[in-house]
Amino acid sequence: MQITSKTVTDRFFRVRETALRLLRDESGATTIEYGLIAGAISVAILLSMSAIGTTIRDDYFNTVTTAMKNAMAAAGG
């Protein structure tokens, strides 16, 4: 295959058109946006579960621990 200025020019324009088409393509932007939304929701869930876990620990487990200590003290242990 002989390389001429026409074949080089044709290849250049094909590469240029492909690059421009890729720059105009926005389908990946939607995927990234959905990923960011999912990440934000995950962080919100983790923070709320952490707060719920702290409440359960403080309210329920400490109450049970105190009750058990009082029961052991009343039993003479």
Side-chain angles (χ1 to χ4, degrees), residues 4-55:
T4 64
S5 62
K6 180 170 174 22
T7 57
V8 171
T9 304
D10 288 344
R11 285 184 182 171
F12 171 76
F13 281 114
R14 277 189 272 164
V15 169
R16 181 177 169 264
E17 286 301 316
T18 302
L20 289 174
R21 189 175 64 241
L22 288 173
L23 288 173
R24 287 188 295 251
D25 185 15
E26 294 183 2
S27 63
T30 304
T31 305
I32 292 170
E33 290 167 356
Y34 284 135
L36 290 173
I37 291 170
I41 291 171
S42 299
V43 168
I45 289 171
L46 288 173
L47 290 175
S48 64
M49 294 306 253
S50 176
I52 290 170
T54 302
T55 302

Side-chain angles (χ1 to χ4, degrees), residues 36-72:
L36 290 173
I37 291 170
I41 291 171
S42 299
V43 168
I45 289 171
L46 288 173
L47 290 175
S48 64
M49 294 306 253
S50 176
I52 290 170
T54 302
T55 302
I56 289 173
R57 181 194 67 213
D58 292 343
D59 292 346
Y60 297 108
F61 290 140
N62 288 342
T63 302
V64 170
T65 302
T66 303
M68 290 177 71
K69 284 180 182 178
N70 291 340
M72 293 294 286

